[in-house]
Structure formats: structure tokens, C-alpha cells
Amino acid sequence: GGDSAGGHISTAISLLAAARGSRLPDTIVPIYPVFSIDISTFYPSLLLSIDEEILSQHALNFFLKCFKG
């Protein structure tokens, strides 16, 4: 498990283990992992970041583009 990055890491490691034929965890409980990085799709939570001072929509788009490579 884990929040945000921890949720993403635990999910990614579990997928990697499955691809390599390793033993899988009994349970995965990711909390707010990054499952979709499609910034062209509207999500209601995006409305919360439009005027956010610390993590603006512009900053989120920048970080997601960096994450995707």
C-alpha cells in the first residue's frame, strides 16, 4: 500500500512481479496511485486544481508530462 507515489510504486512492482512470474502479494491496497495520466480527459477533481496556489493545473500538467517522459 501507500499514498500517491507509494500506491503507484506498489502497483508497478506488483505488475512487474506478475510479468516476471514472481510470487504476487496477497493483497494490494494502493491509495491514490497514478493509474491514468491522460490529461485530455476531464475529471471532476481537476476543477479543484484550477485556482490552487501551490499545485495549479499548469503545474499538474507539467509534472504529468515529465512523468510520462
Side-chain angles (χ1 to χ4, degrees), residues 18-40:
R20 292 185 176 177
S22 299
R23 183 184 180 279
L24 299 176
D26 294 330
T27 304
I28 302 170
V29 186
I31 301 171
Y32 204 68
V34 179
F35 285 137
S36 174
I37 307 178
D38 182 10
I39 60 175
S40 63

Side-chain angles (χ1 to χ4, degrees), residues 3-63:
D3 291 356
S4 193
H8 178 71
I9 291 169
S10 63
T11 302
I13 290 174
S14 297
L15 290 172
L16 181 62
R20 292 185 176 177
S22 299
R23 183 184 180 279
L24 299 176
D26 294 330
T27 304
I28 302 170
V29 186
I31 301 171
Y32 204 68
V34 179
F35 285 137
S36 174
I37 307 178
D38 182 10
I39 60 175
S40 63
T41 302
F42 172 77
Y43 297 99
S45 60
L46 290 176
L47 293 175
L48 299 173
S49 66
I50 289 175
D51 292 330
E52 178 65 39
E53 294 179 21
I54 296 174
L55 193 56
S56 67
Q57 183 66 40
H58 176 73
L60 284 173
N61 287 336
F62 172 76
F63 295 134

Side-chain angles (χ1 to χ4, degrees), residues 60-69:
L60 284 173
N61 287 336
F62 172 76
F63 295 134
L64 288 174
K65 286 178 185 177
C66 290
F67 185 78
K68 290 171 72 171

